[in-house]
Amino acid sequence: MTDGSPEEQIQNAELDQTPELLELYTQFASHHLSPLWTQTSDVLSVHPRSKAVPFVWRWNELYPLAERSGELVPVGRGGERRAIALANPGLGGAPYATTTLWAAIQYLGPHETAPEHRHSQNAFRFVVEGEGVWTVVNGDPVAMRRGDFLLTPGWNFHGHHNDTDRPMAWLDGLDVPFASSIDIGFFEFGSERVTDEASPALSRAERLWAYPGLRPLSGLGETQNSPIHAYRWEYTDQALTEQLALEDEGFPATFGPGHAGIRYSNPTTGGDVMPTIRAEFHRLRAGTSTPTTNEVGSSVWQVFDGSGAMVVDGERRELDRGDVVVVPSWISWSIEAESQLDLFRFSDAPVIERLGFARTRVEHTR
């Protein structure tokens, strides 16, 4: 019987470096070959070991940098977007939040327009503060306001225009790293401005689709992406409020004690809003904490309101409004709410689940 952990067994299996063996390795290299027995701990790890590391970006640092970029960097064709990617310190300078997810703060100044384009990668916007920008998705102007979650699925033309005298910033999320790893990216320029500069309160997609439990007979087929361009904060807020109210009344409604949560869904399938990105919103009562959890797959959280902390990989990180936290695959996390704490979350869960790799471990305290 062999003693020791799998890692120790792998280390113990290393061969003596004889001249003959070194010559064999030289021949392997010259033929672009790599023997498994020299790299087993990397190829076959005991559990996921992401190159990405847990990290927190502070909103009170992000926003001033975005604001300064607005003063110095024009938005327009070429640069396309004044978007500042969150670059995970573990990924060697790549502009990725995790190995599968891209996140950025995008900033649009007063009366600016970001020209239209489209790409294979799926994208969304989440607004922590402000209003006055319309994102135009395939010619449909969609108002962006605090708390709104807005979709730009892959290969949809989209641009943005600010109709006000005030700047606005928001969180962008895309599946860029995943798309890059499997080589599926296409990109195409669109209109120099936007195809519709109107600023309606409701987009055409919302007028057709955004009625809870009601589906138009003109759209009974399933769609890969949700046909709803905007999930409005007032409905998210009300859903979370009612979950906690039902809990107070003794009915099962919450995700955990004092922990309300919703998943944004595609009304044509009941599944995720896009095939590569899952989006959720969580609300914790003051004083509530969640169990420590490990999950296969990466996630990015943004504090919408309130204060508290996340314990990520054993390290407690204080959080305030707007802060962004990245949790790589299989890194432990838990949340502690000081005040009522509202958090937006997106992840690569649809990909992980569809491929059959999903696994979760939850540590329940007694």
Side-chain angles (χ1 to χ4, degrees):
M1 181 176 179
T2 303
D3 295 326
S5 68
E7 290 94 339
E8 292 169 337
Q9 294 176 32
I10 289 168
Q11 292 171 359
N12 293 336
E14 291 181 358
L15 302 175
D16 293 334
Q17 301 296 300
T18 65
E20 293 82 4
L21 185 60
L22 292 175
E23 173 60 25
L24 178 62
Y25 289 161
T26 299
Q27 293 179 28
F28 283 158
S30 69
H31 288 82
H32 303 286
L33 301 171
S34 184
L36 176 62
W37 61 84
T38 65
Q39 53 179 320
T40 305
S41 60
D42 295 323
V43 175
L44 300 173
S45 60
V46 177
H47 57 75
R49 298 185 182 278
S50 178
K51 293 180 180 179
V53 298
F55 197 75
V56 179
W57 289 268
R58 304 293 179 187
W59 187 253
N60 62 9
E61 297 171 349
L62 287 173
Y63 189 84
L65 290 170
E67 194 171 37
R68 184 60 173 153
S69 300
E71 297 170 358
L72 299 175
V73 180
V75 65
R77 191 62 80 207
E80 292 298 300
R81 302 289 185 261
R82 193 185 291 111
I84 306 164
L86 309 185
N88 190 291
L91 298 180
Y96 301 155
T98 77
T99 53
T100 54
L101 301 172
W102 193 88
I105 177 173
Q106 185 171 164
Y107 184 93
L108 200 63
H111 301 288
E112 285 189 323
T113 295
E116 291 192 348
H117 64 214
R118 64 178 177 177
H119 39 70
S120 305
Q121 296 85 348
N122 295 296
F124 71 81
R125 331 278 163 210
F126 179 72
V127 185
V128 171
E129 61 185 34
E131 61 181 30
V133 169
W134 271 256
T135 183
V136 181
V137 182
N138 277 348
D140 190 3
V142 188
M144 297 174 62
R145 298 183 291 265
R146 173 168 159 78
D148 292 347
F149 171 63
L150 308 111
L151 298 185
T152 310
W155 214 236
N156 281 234
F157 277 113
H158 56 283
H160 320 301
H161 65 100
N162 187 343
D163 275 8
T164 73
D165 297 323
R166 300 175 303 278
M168 185 173 165
W170 60 88
L171 181 74
D172 281 344
L174 292 90
D175 54 11
V176 168
F178 174 70
S180 178
S181 69
I182 58 174
D183 297 324
I184 54 82
F186 290 89
F187 177 89
E188 185 177 312
F189 291 120
S191 169
E192 291 292 328
R193 292 189 58 80
V194 289
T195 49
D196 191 334
E197 296 190 3
S199 50
L202 291 175
S203 63
R204 293 189 292 274
E206 290 171 86
R207 291 167 60 192
L208 183 61
W209 282 97
Y211 305 97
L214 305 176
R215 186 167 171 181
L217 292 179
S218 60
L220 293 181
E222 293 188 359
T223 60
Q224 179 173 260
N225 303 293
S226 172
I228 303 175
H229 290 160
Y231 293 74
R232 297 300 180 189
W233 168 242
E234 53 264 36
Y235 302 123
T236 303
D237 182 39
Q238 184 176 356
L240 298 165
T241 298
E242 294 299 341
Q243 285 185 24
L244 292 173
L246 286 167
E247 182 184 59
D248 287 338
E249 296 164 20
F251 297 101
T254 54
F255 184 60
H259 180 181
I262 59 98
R263 181 182 298 174
Y264 301 94
S265 66
N266 178 347
T268 74
T269 64
D272 289 292
V273 290
M274 292 185 287
T276 55
I277 293 175
R278 173 167 297 166
E280 301 171 343
F281 202 100
H282 296 254
R283 172 172 291 169
L284 278 68
R285 297 183 193 269
T288 297
S289 60
T290 69
T292 299
T293 301
N294 298 70
E295 300 164 301
V296 172
S298 302
S299 61
V300 177
W301 300 73
Q302 185 171 36
V303 178
F304 179 68
D305 218 349
S307 60
M310 285 189 75
V311 180
V312 185
D313 201 21
E315 182 179 344
R316 191 173 190 274
R317 303 157 192 263
E318 300 288 340
L319 298 178
D320 213 335
R321 177 171 166 173
D323 291 349
V324 181
V325 186
V326 61
V327 181
S329 183
W330 208 247
I331 294 295
S332 64
W333 63 270
S334 63
I335 305 171
E336 302 170 1
E338 180 180 336
S339 66
Q340 176 176 292
L341 186 59
D342 285 359
L343 303 112
F344 171 78
R345 181 196 195 200
F346 73 101
S347 72
D348 54 15
V351 176
I352 301 299
E353 291 177 359
R354 195 168 290 113
L355 296 177
F357 294 134
R359 183 181 296 196
T360 301
R361 180 176 67 193
V362 180
E363 296 180 12
H364 293 286
T365 57
R366 295 183 179 180

